[in-house]
Each structure stands twice: as C-alpha cells, then as structure tokens.
C-alpha cells in the first residue's frame, strides 16, 4: 500500500509489518510503551494501526536530562522521548537531503535506484518532518539504527520511522 507522508512516499507491506511485530518485540520497557499509548491522540493511534505497527512492540524510550547552571546560563531539565518503528516496505520518494546522503559512495552509492524520486525541499525549511497529529516523524533507512547485516544494503525491504519529542521540564 502506498502512503504519502510528504515529502516521503512509501510502499508499505502492511500485512508484512503486522507479521514482523507478531514475530519480533523491540520494546525495552513495556511501561514506557503503555504510557505513550495512553497519551496518544486517536489520530496518532490510527497512524500506527494503518501501517500495521503493533505499538506495544516498538522501541520507545524516555529520558530526563538535568543540565546544571553554567555561569550566567540557567540550567534545567529536558525531557526526551523517542519512538522507533520498523516497516516492511521501500521508499518511492525521499527529501533531497536524504537523497544526497544515501547516494554517497560510502553509504549506498550506486545501489540507490534511479527510479527513486528525490523531492526538492525549500531552502528555508529547517527540519523536514511529517506531522503525525503534532508529533514530528521522519522516515529513514534502518541501517543507521540497526547494525544487523540484513539492514546494510539499500534494498533491504525495511523502512524506519522515528519520532523525537523534547520539552523543557
């Protein structure tokens, strides 16, 4: 099934993703996943469900960083929450900054197919994300997050979604 998460365009095997989560559990601390799930909007829950992702089995983490005062700069706390989820599928379109990175000879070089659409992003756009009901999500190749051999080639059959939430405490 093709999903348009501008600027990403993904071909996701939803049933394959369901089977992936049936057979694999990436959750580190189940209570973190449960807290995230309880705090999610209906739209965020629909997003994961539509992709075949079992949220109770994704990698979710939360940390609180305490930053000490430093001279004239007041410290404080920063809450950081991350969600990483695998999908069975492939990229049909990616933003230009990823196109440049993935086509680098040391990353994937000539493995990246010419049929992959590269979406030119406006120069003034600081960070390219897809908004999932207020949550910033990016899609990337899983080789940067997983070290297993099966993720180290361009056409590995997987995509990685990542959500990063930060706020001052």
């Amino acid at each position: 099934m093709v999903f348009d998460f501008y600027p990403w365009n993904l071909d996701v095997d939803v049933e394959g993703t369901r089977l992936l989560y049936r057979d694999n559990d990436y959750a580190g601390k189940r209570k973190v996943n449960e807290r995230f799930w309880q705090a999610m909007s209906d739209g965020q829950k629909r997003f994961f469900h539509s992709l075949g992702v079992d949220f109770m089995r994704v990698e979710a983490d939360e940390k609180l960083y305490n930053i000490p005062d430093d001279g004239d700069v007041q410290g404080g706390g920063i809450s950081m929450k991350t969600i990483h989820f695998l999908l069975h599928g492939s990229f049909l379109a990616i933003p230009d900054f990823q196109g440049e990175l993935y086509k680098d000879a040391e990353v994937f070089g000539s493995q990246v197919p010419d049929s992959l659409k590269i979406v030119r992003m406006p120069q003034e756009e600081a960070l390219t994300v897809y908004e999932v009901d207020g949550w910033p999500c990016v899609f990337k190749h899983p080789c940067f997050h997983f070290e297993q051999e099966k993720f180290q080639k361009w056409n590995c059959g997987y995509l990685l979604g990542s959500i990063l939430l930060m706020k001052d405490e």
Side-chain angles (χ1 to χ4, degrees), residues 141-152:
H141 195 281
C143 72
F144 298 108
H145 190 74
F146 295 100
E147 294 180 7
Q148 293 98 325
E149 183 68 28
K150 69 181 179 180
F151 298 118
Q152 301 309 309

Side-chain angles (χ1 to χ4, degrees), residues 76-120:
I78 295 178
S79 168
M80 186 169 82
K81 298 176 181 180
T82 56
I83 302 166
H84 300 290
F85 55 98
L86 274 173
L87 304 168
H88 261 294
S90 59
F91 288 109
L92 300 175
I94 59 177
D96 51 3
F97 74 91
Q98 281 182 324
E100 291 173 25
L101 172 66
Y102 294 154
K103 288 183 177 187
D104 184 287
E106 291 184 23
V107 181
F108 294 114
S110 62
Q111 290 182 36
V112 178
D114 291 334
S115 62
L116 178 68
K117 183 178 177 190
I118 305 298
V119 179
R120 295 277 167 231

Side-chain angles (χ1 to χ4, degrees), residues 11-45:
D11 186 2
V12 177
D13 176 355
V14 175
E15 187 57 33
T17 300
R18 282 191 188 104
L19 293 173
L20 172 72
Y21 285 99
R22 184 195 71 191
D23 297 339
N24 297 277
D25 191 345
Y26 302 98
K29 301 174 190 162
R30 184 86 51 223
K31 289 193 182 293
V32 173
N33 293 60
E34 290 170 1
R35 275 195 302 275
F36 279 30
W37 184 257
Q38 293 303 318
M40 275 188 217
S41 69
D42 289 341
Q44 291 161 341
K45 289 178 181 179

